[in-house]
Amino acid sequence: MSEEKIVLKAEDLDGYLTQEDQDDLKELQDMYEDTYKHFLTVNEDSIAKSFDAMGHKMQEICAKHPNIKVYSFETEEGAHAEASRVISKLRDINTDHAQFMYYTQRAFEMLFRLAYTDGHSDKKNHIFVKTPVTSPVQNYAVHKIPDIDDLIENSVMCVMLRGALLPSMIMSKEIEEYSSHGYVSPFALFKISRDDTKKENDMNYILNLKNSFFDLEELNGKDLIFADPMNATGGSLVTVVKYLESQGVKPKSIKFFNVISALKGSMRVTRALENCTCYTLWMDPVLNEKAYIMPGLGDAGDRLNGTDSHESPRNIIQLIADYGSNIAGLYRSQLRKIEQTVLGKL
């Protein structure tokens, strides 16, 4: 493999797991396989009981992993219905492209609150707003928000391309809106892919440096944020971070945000990487032989961005253009940072 490509193998990832981790994953695998027979008959009551049992088991397992934060395990029961509704829409085979984008945005806003604002700051900032009401005088409004500047203003958004692009822009927008200084996070873009000719137990993860855009100095000592709809195996994240560490980058912290994560992927990431926390809206129990999450939601990247032809895949600028004027207007500051990152290397 040339110096322009870095490869991580599945067996390297599994080496981070303890025997107890392996036993817990095997128990969930057995539970999910036992659920198959209910899928065949579409026995809804039995399916519900099976998933309820797996949910309790995953909560028990995650309690042993303090750096794995699952929305429904961490929040009050009253918040669980919102997560269930959002996830069910994202999973649904009938959810179209526009709806998928909308519910993805809601998901990452919920994850941002979980990580940064819900009960995390007693200090308050104020937002002063000039309203459209001018009679009898110009009117203003004042709104309190948590003071989380120290948590967010050292952040760099690290994008594992395609499916992670829009979620990263959403998280960056949340940071900008909560920052009292209007902080817009820098972006680092990595071209990382899996070898889909492989099975889960011998998967390869390939980081293409030639088609990546980042500044090592800008990453050192920073709070690195990765936002990706799915965390199946954890291999892409571990590949990127281990490469950065080999180049002398020492992150202050790493946060990984996912709409859905497989338990195995979260375990691998938090075992492999120091000071890394995984935040996921929903935890799924297992992977299939192709390393797809089950029950999962399909290819989140394609559902967000549409599919590319193999012969002429879109580059990062083309993909941004395809988001259209509504997205471009909403995330203007983020797009400017991304364009500076890409065009500065060309």
Side-chain angles (χ1 to χ4, degrees):
M1 187 64 64
S2 74
E3 293 181 358
E4 292 182 340
K5 293 187 178 180
I6 308 297
V7 178
L8 182 73
K9 297 180 180 297
E11 58 262 31
D12 300 325
L13 284 169
D14 284 337
Y16 294 107
L17 299 176
T18 67
Q19 186 58 53
E20 184 179 15
D21 294 340
Q22 298 279 15
D23 293 343
D24 286 336
L25 291 168
K26 178 64 167 61
E27 184 173 354
L28 271 175
Q29 183 71 42
D30 292 342
M31 294 175 73
Y32 197 80
E33 289 179 1
D34 190 56
T35 307
Y36 289 164
K37 61 179 179 289
H38 305 309
F39 290 164
L40 296 173
T41 59
V42 196
N43 187 325
E44 293 186 3
D45 288 340
S46 297
I47 291 172
K49 289 178 181 177
S50 293
F51 274 97
D52 191 49
M54 285 187 287
H56 285 299
K57 184 62 183 177
M58 285 189 286
Q59 188 167 11
E60 176 187 316
I61 294 169
C62 288
K64 297 183 285 188
H65 297 263
N67 284 3
I68 298 177
K69 307 291 187 183
V70 182
Y71 188 89
S72 56
F73 300 165
E74 299 286 332
T75 57
E76 297 294 329
E77 187 173 352
H80 299 176
E82 182 183 12
S84 291
R85 289 172 58 241
V86 168
I87 289 293
S88 66
K89 281 292 189 180
L90 288 166
R91 289 197 200 274
D92 195 333
I93 195 172
N94 295 311
T95 297
D96 63 22
H97 172 66
Q99 291 175 312
F100 197 88
M101 292 181 70
Y102 168 74
Y103 286 106
T104 295
Q105 179 163 328
R106 283 185 58 182
F108 280 100
E109 289 170 351
M110 292 165 68
L111 287 168
F112 183 90
R113 293 200 305 270
L114 174 65
Y116 291 108
T117 66
D118 289 353
H120 290 287
S121 178
D122 294 328
K123 298 185 298 180
K124 299 295 180 183
N125 271 335
H126 294 85
I127 300 176
F128 291 86
V129 181
K130 181 189 289 188
T131 81
V133 179
T134 58
S135 178
V137 296
Q138 174 65 61
N139 276 239
Y140 294 85
V142 182
H143 298 277
K144 291 182 180 180
I145 60 171
D147 181 354
I148 57 172
D149 287 349
D150 58 330
L151 300 179
I152 59 177
E153 292 188 353
N154 189 51
S155 301
V156 177
M157 292 304 309
C158 299
V159 185
M160 296 184 290
L161 292 182
R162 288 198 58 77
L165 179 60
L166 186 57
S168 299
M169 290 161 57
I170 294 167
M171 293 298 289
S172 177
K173 185 69 171 180
E174 290 294 293
I175 288 171
E176 181 186 8
E177 293 189 346
Y178 274 93
S179 165
S180 61
H181 308 102
Y183 177 76
V184 180
S185 58
F187 280 78
L189 302 106
F190 302 93
K191 179 64 173 177
I192 184 82
S193 60
R194 298 188 333 189
D195 183 351
D196 285 335
T197 65
K198 302 280 189 178
K199 293 187 176 181
E200 194 275 328
N201 60 2
D202 67 350
M203 185 65 66
N204 287 340
Y205 306 87
I206 305 161
L207 172 60
N208 186 326
L209 297 177
K210 182 180 179 181
N211 294 323
S212 297
F213 307 90
F214 57 89
D215 182 343
L216 289 171
E217 291 184 3
E218 197 170 58
L219 296 167
N220 194 35
K222 296 302 178 65
D223 297 304
L224 306 185
I225 298 176
F226 294 79
D228 202 322
M230 310 283 279
N231 174 21
T233 66
S236 295
L237 177 67
V238 175
T239 303
V240 169
V241 175
K242 289 297 184 184
Y243 167 75
L244 293 176
E245 290 176 342
S246 75
Q247 300 302 300
V249 173
K250 296 181 179 179
K252 182 180 179 183
S253 71
I254 301 166
K255 288 183 171 63
F256 193 22
F257 293 93
N258 313 112
V259 176
I260 291 178
S261 180
L263 180 59
K264 186 175 188 178
S266 291
M267 281 183 172
R268 281 169 157 178
V269 165
T270 53
R271 293 291 193 203
L273 303 177
E274 185 177 354
N275 200 17
C276 176
T277 305
C278 287
Y279 297 88
T280 186
L281 197 61
W282 205 268
M283 185 70 75
D284 271 4
V286 296
L287 302 170
N288 66 14
E289 287 189 352
K290 288 289 189 180
Y292 296 154
I293 300 175
M294 295 194 296
L297 52 72
D299 190 318
D302 285 350
R303 295 185 75 181
L304 270 177
N305 301 326
T307 57
D308 282 340
S309 66
H310 183 72
E311 296 77 16
S312 56
R314 290 166 291 176
N315 63 32
I316 192 74
I317 301 298
Q318 291 170 320
L319 188 58
I320 288 172
D322 284 351
Y323 283 149
S325 58
N326 289 338
I327 295 294
L330 183 61
Y331 298 104
R332 184 179 295 108
S333 298
Q334 285 67 39
L335 293 176
R336 187 177 297 115
K337 285 283 189 181
I338 292 169
E339 289 171 350
Q340 289 171 354
T341 301
V342 174
L343 296 177
K345 184 178 176 180
L346 297 178

